[in-house]
Structures are given as structure tokens and as C-alpha cells.
Amino acid sequence: MSLLARAFKRESVDNYLSADSHMSRVLTTRDLISLGVGTVIGTGIFILPGHEAADHAGPAVAIAFLIAAIFSGLSGMAFAEFSAAMPVAGSAYSYGGAIYGEIIGWLLGWSLIVEYFLAVSAIATGFSAYLGNLLAIFGIHIPKYLSAGPMEGGIVNLFAVLIILFVAAILSRGLNTSKKVENGAVVIKIAILILFIVGGSFFIKTSNYVPFYPKEFHSGLGGLNGIWAATASIIFAFLGFDTIAAHAAEVKNPQKTMAKGIVGTVIISALLYTLFSIVLTGIVNYKKLGVDDPAAFALQVVHQTQFSIVITIGALIGMFTAVLALIYASSRLTYSFGRDGLLPRSLGKISPGSHLPVNALILAVAVEVIFAGLIPLSTLASLINAGTLTAFAFINFGILILRRRKDLAHDGFKVPGYPIVPFIAGMISLFFITQLSAETLNMFGLWLLLGVIWYFSYGIKHSKLS
């Protein structure tokens, strides 16, 4: 067998199922929606609506969120069909390995490392900034050497490190404890968001909606480039529903539960994001919203300072749930690499007592702590979208191949409108990749090159397929 043929050899789904059989299937539809909403409604809802309104779309940012939600829903259905046919850990990595071949699966997993690991670190850094602002309101000021890494003039971003370690401690106690904490925190977060949407609606000035899509953002075909640019950035906000697929090996009745969890997450998140954006841009003119805490800022403008503190607490809870769900997903992805030998096999071991991939969890947390505590992520965070969109493209197009596989069960959820819907969703993924900056695409290309080097120097030699 040639080296190229070996690299494109496909993994057996039965092997995945056998390897994952030691994981406990305890997650329900409610748990999956909680994990999904906990990730999707994180930093994005408290930062992105303001920045994208000010920089790209004005009040039409609500349209950009709706477009992003529809696109995410289309891709979400593809993930749901894959997870129903292949209820295994690893999400796009495992699906890619079984459908396209090992090297494509590895590169999809390599892309997801960017999505999960950097997202954890970016959100933890955001948590630290919000917590610092909240403490400052009460006269407690954190010195810079404890609130920034060495590349930003400090020593370590302490709160970013502590929130990751705190979440790791919760996850190490097992799935039951983790899902109870996540479910409770998500309920509180949604309640605070609804409070902002309902309460903030009383302070809306309709004049702030005019013009709805300002001329300064008109460019490109039909003048819509502003909305497309906002939508491409907002995809980051919806990176969470795909992490649900990473838990397929721990879900009860995955043939039905996975689809309900993914689609339910997209619908709830779309409603909250769109309504939040409408209220936010109605309270304050879009030109003033280019701040990192737009909701709190808007409430301060209308002299609702106490209410702004509640929103800040909601943001902290939102980021906490996102960090928990993403560390959960990143540890399962790391476990999958170890399970298949593409990373050291010790990472693929399941603890007999807790039924958790403890070694994978430790490694994931260690890397995320280093990123969050020491490295500024303003540039690297843009890579998150590139990794997410790449996975979306391959998974949507992969449905066209999956349906023709006779060795897999197809009695679970199926993407409607086959083959047109998954093909269109795949093309949309490619379109949004082209909307990313040249710097981001160059950095992502370099990341993929490093992945190829690792695969041919280590992975292909130690893989179970060898």
C-alpha cells in the first residue's frame, strides 16, 4: 500500500464504537441543549452584537445573527445525521476519518483543536476582564501583573487561569456533577438575558433604528458586504452546537437525542441573539457600541447602573458555562486522538472509577491554562472561525457520501432536502471562509501544515490503522 493510499484509509465505525463502549451513556436531550446553549450563549452575546453593529452592519446586525443562525442550523442538521449514524466520540474528527480517510479526519480534528482550545482560552480571558470590571465597581482593583500575560506587560492573567482550573475540578467529579452545575447555570443565564430583553425594551428609541443598514457599510454585490462580514465574524458565536457531537458516545438513544439537542440549541440561541441585538441597538445608537461590554454600557447610558451589574453577572455566568462545555468537548477530542494512536495512547484511556478520559482532560486543561494565562489571544482568536468553518464544509459535503454507505445504520435523524440542502450548506461554509482576513487564512494554512507534518512524522506510524 502506498503512503498516500494508507493516509486515506478509512477507519471502521465498529472500532470506534468498541473503543468508546467504556464511556457511560447518561446524557439526555435536556443535558445536550444545556451544554449547547451553555457554549453558544457565552462571550459572543455579551460582546459581538456591539462590535459588529459599530463596525459592519449597524442595527442590521440582528439580520446578520439570524443569517448565522440559519446557516448554523443547516450545518447542525448535518452533525445530527452523522452523530445518529455514528454515535462515537470525536465529532468531525471521527466522522471525517470514517468517511474521507484518516488524514482528512486528522486535519478536521486538528482544525477543531483551534476551535475548542483557543475558544476556552479566549472566553476565560474575557471572563477575567468582566470580573475585573465588576470588582472595580466595588473599589477592588486587580494589579496589571495579575490581570495580563507577559506579552501585555503583566505576569499572568490570574482569573483566566483560576476559572479554567475551577471548571476542571468540576469536570473531574464526573458527568452527573458536571451536568447539574451546567444545567443550573444555564437557567440563570437565560433568565438574566430575558430580563435584559424585556426590561431593555422599555428604553428603546425607534430613531436609533434609522438607518437600519447604514450606507457607510454598503459595499460589494448588492451593497451587502457589511452584513456578510458581520455574519462571518458571528459564526464564532455559534461554535457550540457542533461540540454537542463530541459527546455522542455518552448520550442515551443518540439516534433521536442528538438531533433534538443540536436543533434545540440552534433555535434557542437564534431567538436570544436576535432579540438581544434588536433591543441593544434600540437603546443606544450603533456608533457608540464598539465596546467590550455593550449591554452593561447601554444600561449605564439610560441610567440603569444597578441593572448593568446584573447583566455583568449574567455575562460571567455565561462565560463560565461556555468554558465548562468547551473544556468538556476538548477533552473528548483529545481522548479520541489518543484512542486512535494519532497522539500518545495514554490520552485514550478511560478511568475505571469515573469513566472519564482523565489523562486527556489534564492535557487539555494544561494547554488551555497556558494560552489563557500567558498569551494574548486577540489575533489567534480569529483562527477559531477558520477551524469551525472548515469542519462545517467537510461535514455538510460528507452527508453526500454518508447516505451511500451501506454498512451504517440510517434509521435515525436525516437532513431534509437531500442532496440539495447539505450541498448548499457546504458551499455557504466555503463562501464564509473567503470572507475571513488574509492574515487569518495564512495563519490557518500554517496550522494545517503543522498538522500534516505531525501526521506523517508521528500519527501514521502509531495509528491503530497501522
Side-chain angles (χ1 to χ4, degrees):
M1 182 183 294
S2 69
L3 187 64
L4 190 61
R6 166 61 190 83
F8 281 91
K9 186 177 180 181
R10 297 173 181 176
E11 177 60 271
S12 165
V13 176
D14 289 337
N15 289 344
Y16 283 151
L17 291 170
S18 175
D20 293 342
S21 62
H22 300 294
M23 303 182 85
S24 301
R25 292 193 177 273
V26 298
L27 298 177
T28 63
T29 300
R30 178 186 173 188
D31 297 327
L32 289 182
I33 291 177
S34 182
L35 281 167
V37 173
T39 310
V40 175
I41 306 296
T43 308
I45 199 166
F46 296 102
I47 296 177
L48 282 179
H51 278 297
E52 295 308 316
D55 298 339
H56 292 123
V61 68
I63 302 299
F65 271 105
L66 192 57
I67 294 172
I70 292 171
F71 163 62
S72 297
L74 294 176
S75 296
M77 289 191 293
F79 275 94
E81 178 166 344
F82 263 103
S83 57
M86 290 186 262
V88 298
S91 187
Y93 157 67
S94 296
Y95 307 152
I99 293 295
Y100 295 105
E102 185 176 67
I103 188 170
I104 299 299
W106 163 252
L107 291 177
L108 288 178
W110 193 246
S111 300
L112 291 181
I113 287 179
V114 168
E115 178 183 335
Y116 297 172
F117 281 55
L118 289 186
V120 168
S121 303
I123 294 170
T125 302
F127 179 94
S128 176
Y130 263 80
L131 184 57
N133 292 339
L134 180 63
L135 293 175
I137 294 175
F138 297 100
I140 302 173
H141 299 278
I142 306 302
K144 186 171 182 178
Y145 66 85
L146 291 179
S147 60
M151 297 174 69
E152 295 177 303
I155 296 177
V156 64
N157 194 327
L158 181 61
F159 287 137
V161 170
L162 290 179
I163 187 60
I164 292 176
L165 293 177
F166 177 65
V167 166
I170 293 174
L171 290 172
S172 68
R173 296 182 66 85
L175 267 180
N176 286 326
T177 300
S178 302
K179 71 178 186 178
K180 287 177 182 177
V181 172
E182 181 82 353
N183 291 349
V186 166
V187 169
I188 296 172
K189 174 173 61 176
I190 291 177
I192 291 175
L193 287 173
I194 292 174
L195 182 63
F196 172 82
I197 292 168
V198 175
S201 64
F202 291 101
F203 299 96
I204 289 175
K205 294 180 180 179
T206 53
S207 59
N208 286 327
Y209 293 131
V210 183
F212 189 70
Y213 180 41
K215 287 187 177 180
E216 63 197 89
F217 301 128
H218 290 205
S219 65
L221 183 63
L224 296 176
N225 272 14
I227 289 179
W228 297 136
T231 304
S233 297
I234 286 166
I235 294 297
F236 165 68
F238 284 91
L239 70 79
F241 74 84
D242 63 305
T243 64
I244 295 174
H247 314 309
E250 298 165 279
V251 174
K252 296 178 180 178
N253 191 13
Q255 284 72 21
K256 295 182 179 179
T257 304
M258 294 300 299
K260 293 177 181 177
I262 292 173
V263 175
T265 292
V266 172
I267 291 173
I268 293 172
S269 302
L271 285 173
L272 289 174
Y273 267 120
T274 304
L275 293 174
F276 187 93
S277 301
I278 291 171
V279 172
L280 179 67
T281 53
I283 297 175
V284 179
N285 185 276
Y286 73 92
K287 294 180 180 179
K288 300 178 181 179
L289 290 174
V291 295
D292 287 339
D293 54 348
F297 169 75
L299 292 170
Q300 290 169 3
V301 169
V302 294
H303 309 294
Q304 299 294 315
T305 305
Q306 298 302 318
F307 193 10
S308 73
I309 294 175
V310 174
I311 292 300
T312 300
I313 294 173
L316 289 170
I317 294 174
M319 288 181 245
F320 164 77
T321 61
V323 170
L324 192 152
L326 281 166
I327 292 179
Y328 187 175
S330 63
S331 66
R332 272 44 180 186
L333 178 63
T334 306
Y335 152 79
S336 300
F337 292 153
R339 172 197 66 191
D340 301 335
L342 298 177
L343 287 181
R345 291 182 185 270
S346 60
L347 298 173
K349 292 183 178 179
I350 300 294
S351 171
S354 63
H355 299 286
L356 296 175
V358 175
N359 294 339
L361 177 62
I362 291 172
L363 177 64
V365 168
V367 173
E368 288 154 358
V369 160
I370 291 171
F371 278 137
L374 304 178
I375 302 173
L377 294 171
S378 56
T379 301
L380 291 178
S382 61
L383 286 172
I384 296 171
N385 280 345
T388 303
L389 289 168
T390 299
F392 283 7
F394 275 91
I395 293 305
N396 280 303
F397 290 131
I399 293 294
L400 306 178
I401 304 173
L402 178 68
R403 288 285 182 96
R404 297 199 296 268
R405 288 283 295 269
K406 303 299 183 183
D407 58 324
L408 298 175
H410 297 283
D411 54 353
F413 176 83
K414 294 181 180 179
V415 177
Y418 172 88
I420 297 172
V421 169
F423 178 78
I424 290 176
M427 293 302 294
I428 293 173
S429 304
L430 296 178
F431 168 73
F432 282 130
I433 289 175
T434 67
Q435 299 300 299
L436 299 174
S437 69
E439 180 187 19
T440 297
L441 294 176
N442 289 336
M443 292 177 66
F444 185 63
L446 178 60
W447 176 253
L448 290 179
L449 178 61
L450 292 174
V452 171
I453 293 172
W454 175 268
Y455 176 77
F456 283 107
S457 63
Y458 179 90
I460 197 169
K461 300 174 184 177
H462 297 84
S463 167
K464 281 187 175 181
L465 282 178
S466 297

